[in-house]
Amino acid sequence: MTTTPFIRPYEDSDRAALADICVKTALDGQDSSAVHPDLELMPTIFAYPYVELEPDFAFVLDDGHGAAVGYVLGAADTATFAARFRGEWIPRVSARYPAPTREARTPSEEMIGLLHDPERMVRDELAAFPAHLHIDLLPPWQGQGYGRALMDTLLDALHQKGVPAVHLCMVRANTPARAFYDRLGFEQLDVPDPGPVWYLGRPTHVIMQ
């Protein structure tokens, strides 16, 4: 019997799959395990805190047999999320990832620096786009419309909660991702000195195209 893939809310049993998806897409959309050999590091920064602190905005693509093969994770209010990240999440993980005491010498040390700087997520230029998101799909599941479906699910959930707009931050080197976001109606936001990233945003309501 063939079972169709579908989108559903994240469940605790998806945690290992969530981590695997994060690791396999965290390096400009590619596998990050060679650069960050601690396979818990990237999920600790970019995945776990969202399902722990914002479970209402965590959705996965189920392959039809119970396995998560993609996800979209959101925070309804970035400033509030950053404050909770500081007060609730960092204390839970700082024993494994202590705050840096020197300049970063490796890519992983740079990431640990980001972990301990959640305030970096809050920028005045993004105030009109209070929510933010992360979306990732395992490569075999990309390019089939599942990314759009995941995004639509999150946008609808945010819209139903009265959140007017959402933003994301993406590495410029990930050109396929930029094309995907452009197709979904995201527009580049004017953020001074963004470094090697773009900030993109859009309203949460349906955009007629």
Side-chain angles (χ1 to χ4, degrees):
M1 181 178 71
T2 301
T3 304
T4 303
F6 63 99
I7 295 168
R8 58 172 172 78
Y10 169 85
E11 300 173 355
D12 290 343
S13 59
D14 297 317
R15 191 176 182 88
L18 186 85
D20 184 59
I21 296 163
C22 183
V23 167
K24 288 181 177 175
T25 58
L27 187 65
D28 301 342
Q30 305 299 315
D31 192 332
S32 65
S33 59
V35 176
H36 303 294
D38 179 345
L39 301 185
E40 285 288 284
L41 176 58
M42 300 306 273
T44 296
I45 304 171
F46 298 112
Y48 297 153
Y50 291 86
V51 300
E52 295 286 344
L53 303 178
E54 294 272 8
D56 290 346
F57 303 108
F59 302 94
V60 301
L61 173 64
D62 189 304
D63 67 356
H65 303 281
V69 293
Y71 60 71
V72 64
L73 310 171
D77 183 88
T78 299
T80 299
F81 179 78
R84 294 188 66 196
F85 196 110
R86 167 70 63 193
E88 300 176 40
W89 183 247
I90 291 177
R92 294 172 58 178
V93 300
S94 59
R96 180 166 181 157
Y97 304 111
T101 57
R102 66 184 188 192
E103 289 293 318
R105 299 177 183 175
T106 67
S108 290
E109 287 183 356
E110 290 180 3
M111 289 295 106
I112 293 171
L114 292 182
L115 169 67
H116 285 273
D117 183 24
E119 292 77 18
R120 66 190 158 76
M121 294 185 275
V122 183
R123 303 192 60 146
D124 291 342
E125 301 86 0
L126 303 175
F129 301 83
H132 74 273
L133 66 86
H134 295 283
I135 181 170
D136 291 298
L137 282 162
L138 292 176
W141 295 87
Q142 297 173 12
Q144 302 177 58
Y146 297 123
R148 177 182 288 271
L150 279 167
M151 190 72 80
D152 287 346
T153 301
L154 176 63
L155 290 171
D156 182 64
L158 290 168
H159 185 62
Q160 294 300 321
K161 293 289 188 179
V163 181
V166 63
H167 73 269
L168 59 89
C169 178
M170 62 160 291
V171 177
R172 296 189 186 196
N174 192 351
T175 51
R178 178 59 195 265
F180 167 69
Y181 296 131
D182 287 346
R183 290 193 296 271
L184 293 181
F186 282 84
E187 297 182 353
Q188 188 169 332
L189 303 177
D190 186 13
V191 175
D193 302 318
V197 300
W198 278 308
Y199 289 90
L200 310 178
R202 59 154 286 172
T204 57
H205 63 70
V206 174
I207 296 176
M208 301 305 294
Q209 299 184 7

